[in-house]
Amino acid sequence: MEERIERLENLVSLQDRTIEKLSDTVYDQQKQITDLRKVVERLAGKLRDIDEALDQSGGVDTPPPHYNG
């Protein structure tokens, strides 16, 4: 009986460590996701700015000055 209890205690201890490691991993991944979202939002803003600048300048539809067509 004592041996069974000790084995169960060891299993619980192992599960506690595993849960703690998983929790740390989830925390780290969430931090990475948050950081990546910030980067994506910044890049999306820059793309919007570029798109607006192209729209205001006539965009890519304006032929270059050396175009003879």
Side-chain angles (χ1 to χ4, degrees):
M1 181 74 158
E2 178 99 14
E3 189 177 310
R4 283 184 66 195
I5 292 174
E6 186 176 325
R7 193 170 70 100
L8 288 173
E9 287 174 340
N10 287 336
L11 283 173
V12 168
S13 177
L14 177 63
Q15 287 178 345
D16 283 345
R17 284 193 303 264
T18 301
I19 290 170
E20 189 173 331
K21 285 180 184 179
L22 287 171
S23 178
D24 291 346
T25 300
V26 169
Y27 175 81
D28 291 342
Q29 288 178 341
Q30 185 59 49
K31 187 176 180 328
Q32 289 176 344
I33 289 170
T34 301
D35 293 345
L36 289 171
R37 279 187 177 159
K38 289 177 184 177
V39 169
V40 168
E41 288 173 6
R42 229 177 312 139
L43 289 173
K46 287 182 179 183
L47 283 175
R48 277 191 296 274
D49 293 345
I50 290 171
D51 193 40
E52 288 173 9
L54 286 174
D55 285 345
Q56 291 174 359
S57 70
V60 255
D61 294 332
T62 307
H66 63 278
Y67 183 73
N68 294 327

